[in-house]
Amino acid sequence: MAKISKSPWLLHYDGSSCNGCDIEVLACLTPVYDVERFGIINTGDPKHADILLITGGINTQNKQVVEQIYSQMPNPKVVVAVGICACNGGVFKDCYNILGGADKVIPVDVYVPGCAARPESIIDGVVKALDILEKKREV
Amino acid sequence: MGKRSVVPFGPQHPVLPEPIHLDLVLEDEKVIEAIPSIGYIHRGLEKLIEKRDFNDYLYVIERICGICSYMHGMGYCEALERIFDVEIPDRAKYLRTIWCEMSRVHSHLLWLGLLADAFGFEALFYQCWRMREKVLDMFEASTGGRVIFSVNKIGGVLKDMDKDMLASFVKEFDAMEDEIKKLCDVFLTDYTVESRLRKVGILTKEDAVATGAVGPMMRASGIEIDTRKTGYAAYSNIDFKIITSNDCDSYARCEVRIKELFQSFDIIRQAVAQIPDGDLSIAVKGNPNGEAFMRVEQPRGEAIYYVKANGTKNLDRARVRTPTFTNLTPLVKILQGCDYADVPILILTIDPCVSCTER
Amino acid sequence: MREEYELTVIDSGDLSRYALKMKRDNARLVQICAVSVPGGYELSYSFAKGYEFINYRIVIDEDTRIASIGDVYPSAVFYENEMKELFGVKIDSMYLDYNNKLYRIEQETPFKK
């Protein structure tokens, strides 16, 4: 079953990010950084996705959206929290509408630091996620 | 009359990198009414002013949005400089102008790429973003960051660009200009692109004023207003002509943004030619007291900063009115009567920045 | 060069009249901003006529109800919903009232002091 981790499909959801990490995620998909060389394809449909890239902290309104997207993804699945806001709330931690990092609502497997996360570290995080996906598949 | 139904659009949607939700009232395939609902990215960062002092808050306000981060920081600084009543050194003004225009170039290229992606022209999307990476490289060379720059401070800027760097940037932009000219041919003359954009999403001049459109959205409806003409930073010394179009449709918005790219290159060249030597910043002492409005022309249009200080290190209020917030009403207007299939493109033509809108 | 602007304090009852006057002058609504001050609010309505930047301010106490200017300027309605939800400003006759569900936050009127 190693085939799946060789062409994982990736879903990106913007929590309450400032956009910075989102455009870096998109930049990863474009020719300069090109994560497609790992066989990764960006998809818009949670039911096709193996990896969920989540940027930004969780707020009261997108909590259900994130939970729903996660529950719609088929098993095995891996969650990558991109950027410091998705890790623990970051600079917006003290805002009244921020609950915290993505791990407040869904289990997170890989944490990518940075504000904004650099494309290199996002790719590194995704590659780490591939290993975890492989391990989960074996279980 | 066909059957009416309400179709939800978003928040997670393949065309939009950011979540926004619209309830579309449809009659067959025509949209009768659109009701936006926002709040998926609302953080409440304006409230954070009570916990951070006015210097630290600069780093929060930059993070309103990762695309216009430079201008958010600059607008906030200029508003506070007005309260302190200080004039920043000329060199800092020019550096701000150059960084502003670089932000505009990368933002417009990003938008052109997303537009190309929205109508399924993936190669064009990749071309635009490849070009955009060059601007980001220049940002990284001059500020150290790709997205969040943190080079402003109240009273000036923190980093300098030396002569060689400025010259190399100008050279780079010259080369980019030639490449973009080729890309523009596709955007402006290709038959498939034109068929998606021409006569779609018409916003008349009267409607643009009534609904409070700003930026390229307003200029594409024939209104000749550009906040850069109010002369903040070094814009009062720069010669440029406001770009408008009288077509009022999606094509006009695309055309205005493309022409603004070339205008930005021109402004950068002028600024590099004029930039004087001198200090980067002046010292600002004490705590601010008073209030000020400040207007800035962002890539998406005019943004307003309002700062109210009370003589302590914590401000009473720091408010940002972002361009997308006021462009929501024109969006609702152009969605009325459009085809359902055109909805994603029309949302893109206002160049939405949802994290700006909701803050 | 620094842009000059004017700021006039007006009576809260005159708001609609001033909005109409601005509309007749073909000015556009630039922004509405609320600030919570002890015991009430300070609302700034900004308009722009060409490059002229005109601000009107009303100072009201917490219980004063103000009229929406959404019928004159449709774009006002998002600002008004924002003020209503985040500050608790009481606004009458909005043509599109989100009933405090614009941002759908859990905390009630977080900006109110």
Side-chain angles (χ1 to χ4, degrees), chain B residues 31 185 194 225 348:
Chain B
V31 177
D185 284 348
E194 266 194 76
I225 290 178
L348 268 180

Side-chain angles (χ1 to χ4, degrees), chain A:
Chain A
M1 293 296 250
K3 280 176 200 141
I4 287 175
S5 67
K6 284 203 175 106
S7 77
W9 286 33
L10 185 146
L11 173 71
H12 164 230
Y13 183 74
D14 173 351
S16 56
S17 133
C18 74
N19 244 337
C21 295
D22 305 291
I23 48 176
E24 293 295 61
V25 167
L26 275 180
C28 285
L29 298 162
T30 51
V32 175
Y33 293 98
D34 193 19
V35 299
E36 284 191 16
R37 68 198 143 113
F38 300 108
I40 295 164
I41 292 177
N42 188 22
T43 166
D45 188 340
K47 297 210 170 185
H48 296 171
D50 305 298
I51 301 176
L52 173 62
L53 281 190
I54 182 150
T55 53
I58 302 296
N59 71 14
T60 40
Q61 193 178 165
N62 67 29
K63 195 175 153 217
Q64 291 93 344
V65 183
V66 172
E67 279 167 352
Q68 198 192 359
I69 290 176
Y70 182 75
S71 67
Q72 283 179 355
M73 286 169 61
N75 275 317
K77 50 193 165 191
V78 191
V79 178
V80 184
V82 175
I84 190 70
C85 296
C87 294
N88 70 357
V91 66
F92 305 121
K93 206 174 178 179
D94 294 334
C95 289
Y96 60 84
N97 206 31
I98 293 284
L99 302 175
D103 53 7
K104 288 265 191 240
V105 287
I106 51 172
V108 173
D109 300 279
V110 183
Y111 295 87
V112 177
C115 181
R118 291 187 62 88
E120 290 89 344
S121 47
I122 296 174
I123 294 173
D124 199 30
V126 171
V127 172
K128 280 209 166 64
L130 293 182
D131 289 344
I132 295 171
L133 191 66
E134 190 65 25
K135 282 199 189 96
K136 282 192 176 175
R137 161 97 25 206
E138 281 162 15
V139 170

Side-chain angles (χ1 to χ4, degrees), chain C residues 23-87:
Chain C
K23 179 86 174 178
R24 271 201 301 271
D25 287 352
N26 216 11
R28 63 194 171 91
L29 176 70
V30 169
Q31 65 121 16
I32 305 174
C33 165
V35 180
S36 195
V37 291
Y41 308 101
E42 218 178 70
L43 310 179
S44 314
Y45 288 71
S46 309
F47 300 89
K49 204 159 54 180
Y51 288 106
E52 208 182 326
F53 191 31
I54 307 152
N55 296 282
Y56 292 112
R57 169 160 301 166
I58 57 176
V59 183
I60 53 172
D61 55 35
E62 262 174 45
D63 301 316
T64 312
R65 306 190 70 87
I66 58 162
S68 163
I69 59 165
D71 48 349
V72 186
Y73 284 101
S75 55
V77 84
F78 287 104
Y79 301 105
E80 287 170 349
N81 273 298
E82 186 182 77
M83 294 198 291
K84 192 179 167 197
E85 185 173 2
L86 301 183
F87 288 85

